[in-house]
Structures are given as C-alpha cells and as structure tokens.
C-alpha cells in the first residue's frame, strides 16, 4: 500500500437501518440478481468431500507425443479427456458449433533436451500452453506439473490444462469469441480463465468421468493455483503475455463458474479495461515505489488507515469506534487475531506482533506473512462490524461474515490509487486479500467471533461484490446489506 498526502474528498457511506432488508442488487460481472445462501456457492451446495481423481475411473486412452507414460502425464491426459468431453457438449449447446479435439498433445521435460513446439524450443520452458498455429496443447512434465501437483494437489494440474484448452475453444469459436489478431493478451487470458470456470462447474456437478471436486476446500485449491500463477505485481495489464493478477484471474474464473460459456465470450477489451484492477505499465511507477509494502505498526500508516476508515464508514453514532493497541477484556465477543472487535465498548483491539507478522510480505528464503493490505483489511473488517452494530444488524452468523467481507471490499474500492485517499492500493494488494481469504482463519470474512463460511470461493466473491459494486459508495454498501441477509 502507499500513503498519500490527500484525504478522501467524496461522500462517505452511511449504512442506515432504513436500508430495506431482503432487497437484492445486480453486481457488475455476474449473471444478474442472486439470492445468497449460507450453504451454497454460485447455486451449488458447499461441500467438503474429496477432490481429485475419481476412485475407480479408468485412464484415458489419449496419448501424448514425447510422453513418458508416467503418473503426471496420465493425470494430464485424463484432464484433457474430461475437458474435451465437456466442450464437445457445450460448444454445440452454447454456440451451435462442433468441438473438434485438439490436433496434437505434447509432453516434454523442461530439464531435458528441447523439442520444437510452436516454432520454439522447450528446453528450460517451465510452462503449459496452447499453440493455435498447429492446434497443439503442450505441458512440462518435468517441473511445472509436478510442482503444481505437490503444492496444490492434482486438481491444480487440471485447472492449468482447462485454461489452455480454453484457448483452443477461442480458436474454434473464431469470430464468435470476439478474438482477433489485435486482441490483447489480457482479454484472451481472462476468457480462458472464465472457460476453465465453466468446466469446473461441470465437474462440481458430478459430470466429469475422471475427476471430482468439492465446492469448499476443492475450489480453494483452484483459487490458490490461480494465485500461484498470477502475474507479478510489477506487470502491467497491457504487457505482452499478461494473464492478470490473482484478483482478476479469480474474478474471471468465478464468472465462468457462476455463468455459462456465453458469459465468457462476452469478455472483451471494453469489459476488461472497465473491470481490471491491474494497472497499466505506465501507471506502475506512481504507485509501486519504496512504500509498496508499509510497516503496519508504523504510527503514520495506522493513522492513514484510520483516516480512510472514518471517511468510508461513517456510523450512525456521534463517534467512530476506538482503535487501541492490545486486546482489552470483552464480555460479549471472542478475540480474533490480529484485530478484535468488542461491541460493548465499540473498540477495536490490535495485536501488533500478529499484525506485523501478517503484514510482512513473503520473500525468497523467508515465508513472512501475506502483506500490508491483508493486515489492514483485517482491521477494516472489524471496523465494518462497528458500522453494522450501529445500524442494528447482527454481529454473528454466516451472513454477518459475508456482509463483513463485502463491506471490506467497499473500503478497498474506495482507496484505489488516484482517488486521493490517505492510504492507497498498490500493485499486488488485492492479491493479498485473496490469499488471506483462502486461509482457514480468515478475518476479512469473519463475524465478530471469527466464524466464516467454509468456502474461500464464497468469501472472495463477497469481497469482490463490494469492491466492484456500481454506483456511489452508499449504493455499494446497500449491495452488501441487501445481498447478505
């Protein structure tokens, strides 16, 4: 995050009791009005069962040129078989077009002798890709797929290959996909992430012959994979080969999971530029300097945080909640770390040691925490609880947890760089929010006692609903209250 000498100049949110309970609102980027349920994610029941290869399923008969017939190659072939089966059903149903299987599958070892694929050598190429020139899907069985499998499980391999086959879908759709030779990389990649979301919805519904996935921990692994393969914080969305930061990649995947393939084909230059949170290359220097990750225990940084919170979240009472160092005894709420909210005293208590731990950016050779925005957003979520208390809303329950994540997203949307806030988003900040909400003990998406829905997918969706809600900040808050009842 970065500090600014300017204060927020626009209207603050007043979350009044007069907001109509039970109202719904259309959120930009989704398929329309949704009725939220604490037991569902995008209309499917939240499940916690096994994710991965379906027990007893026979292996695909597909083969890959250069393959070693090992377990990783077979995992890849089973994945491609299922993805192509999905598109053989959905391309005719959604677009009236026949889906032809990919012309060639190639497996290679990036650490071995290179082979020529798509007019380039695979030596040292730790990647998976689709080549339209010869209608080929290729993958590195030596490093990339084993790393994904070891880090996030077998479904991460399926996710990467579903994305690559999304590019094959674009090629087969032609003009119907809106993709031309002039289309930017970010649009192509956002569409491919969206098409991968379409496929995983089909898997979650139990239709895939080789794989199964839970909508709780299973989808969390997929979102973690997208976090892992995101663009680095210094990459502009207009850069050659840009795929998107984690927040934008997750958003595209969620659009696909919640809606059909036609929604994905509607992703175009205008839609991406209106929605994308990753800055353009020319905008990086202004917001990505030495202050890209602030020390969260720095007095001036905490003061700037409080300035933005007071500007965005104006409660009905005469005073905002107090923020103190330490965790005072609280008779009516449990402690949550690194920030706790006590309703009876309207006080937010900070554990500075834990706040610094979470706010320290991870670095090579040192795991560190998540980053400054993750830590500040956890404090903001407790501030959002004070707002709800003053407006008469309950502070416990899954609806409260989702409403809190959504309101924290409203605050994040209000401090986008260039709006004059005392504290402003810098590249990578929203990715930190994604990472925090995928942890088991997320505070951003928790009620006053730390309770939250078991689906990281649902938590991120709630945060994004607040961040991307259209209209004034008052309208954005109304979106959160109306949706999460």
């Amino acid at each position: 995050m970065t500090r600014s000498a300017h204060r927020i100049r626009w209207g603050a949110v007043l979350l009044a009791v007069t907001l109509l309970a039970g109202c719904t609102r259309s959120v930009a980027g989704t398929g329309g009005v949704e009725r939220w349920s604490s037991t569902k994610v995008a209309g499917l029941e939240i499940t916690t069962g096994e994710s991965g290869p379906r027990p007893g399923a026979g292996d695909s008969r597909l083969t890959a040129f250069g393959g070693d017939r090992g377990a990783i190659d077979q995992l890849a072939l089973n994945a491609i078989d299922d993805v192509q089966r999905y598109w053989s059903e959905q391309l005719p149903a959604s677009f009236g077009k026949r889906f032809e299987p990919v012309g060639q599958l190639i497996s290679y070892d990036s650490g071995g002798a290179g082979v020529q694929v798509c007019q380039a050598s695979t030596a040292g190429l730790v990647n998976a890709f689709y080549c339209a020139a010869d209608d080929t899907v290729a993958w590195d069985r030596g490093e990339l797929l084993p790393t994904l499998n070891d880090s996030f499980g077998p479904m991460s391999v399926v996710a990467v290959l579903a994305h690559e086959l999304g590019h094959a879908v674009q090629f087969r759709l032609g003009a119907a996909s809106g993709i031309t030779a002039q289309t930017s990389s970010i649009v192509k990649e956002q569409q491919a992430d969206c098409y991968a979301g379409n496929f995983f919805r089909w898997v979650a519904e139990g239709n895939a012959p080789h794989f199964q996935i839970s909508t709780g921990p299973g989808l969390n692994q997929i979102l973690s994979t997208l976090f892992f393969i995101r663009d680095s914080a210094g990459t502009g969305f207009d850069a050659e080969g840009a795929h998107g930061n984690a927040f934008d990649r997750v958003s595209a995947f969620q659009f696909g999971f919640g809606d059909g393939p036609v929604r994905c084909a509607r992703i175009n230059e205008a839609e991406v530029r209106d929605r994308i949170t990753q800055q353009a290359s020319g905008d990086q220097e202004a917001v990505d300097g030495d202050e890209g990750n602030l020390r969260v225990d720095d007095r001036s940084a905490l003061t700037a945080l409080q300035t933005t919170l007071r500007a965005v979240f104006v409660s009905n009472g005469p005073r905002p909640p107090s923020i103190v160092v330490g965790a005072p005894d609280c008779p009516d709420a449990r402690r949550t770390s690194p920030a706790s909210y006590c309703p009876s005293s309207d006080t937010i208590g900070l554990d500075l040691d834990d706040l610094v731990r979470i706010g320290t950016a991870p670095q090579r050779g040192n795991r560190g925490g998540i980053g400054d925005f993750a830590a500040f957003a956890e404090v903001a979520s407790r501030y959002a609880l004070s707002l709800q208390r003053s407006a008469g809303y309950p502070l416990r329950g899954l609806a409260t947890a989702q409403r809190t994540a959504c309101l924290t997203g409203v605050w994040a949307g209000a401090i986008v760089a260039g709006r004059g806030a005392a504290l402003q988003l810098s590249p990578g900040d929203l990715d930190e929010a994604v990472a925090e909400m995928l942890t088991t003990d997320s505070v951003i998406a928790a009620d006053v006692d730390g309770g939250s829905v078991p689906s990281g997918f649902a938590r991120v969706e709630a945060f994004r609903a607040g961040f991307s809600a259209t209209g004034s900040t008052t309208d954005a808050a109304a979106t959160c209250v109306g949706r999460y009842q």
Side-chain angles (χ1 to χ4, degrees), residues 24-60:
T24 56
R25 179 181 176 84
S26 178
V27 179
T30 69
V33 175
E34 299 178 21
R35 184 168 295 278
W36 177 77
S37 167
S38 63
T39 64
K40 293 185 177 182
V41 54
L44 298 181
E45 292 294 328
I46 297 176
T47 56
T48 57
E50 294 295 322
S51 296
R54 187 179 292 281
D59 286 332
S60 168

Side-chain angles (χ1 to χ4, degrees), residues 80 83-84 87 91 99-106 108 117-120 122 125 127-140 144 160-174 177 179 188-189 192 195 243:
I80 290 170
V83 177
Q84 293 196 138
W87 286 113
L91 216 65
F99 179 81
E100 294 291 342
V102 171
Q104 185 172 216
L105 306 175
I106 298 178
Y108 66 89
V117 181
C118 210
Q119 300 181 336
T122 61
L125 184 61
N127 203 358
F129 57 92
Y130 171 73
C131 178
D134 51 14
D135 196 28
T136 294
V137 169
W139 62 87
D140 168 27
L144 177 64
V160 167
L161 293 171
H163 169 94
E164 298 309 329
L165 281 159
H167 291 305
V169 169
Q170 292 170 341
F171 183 69
R172 282 149 177 75
L173 283 176
S177 71
I179 301 297
K188 297 174 185 176
E189 302 303 336
Y195 288 137
H243 282 59

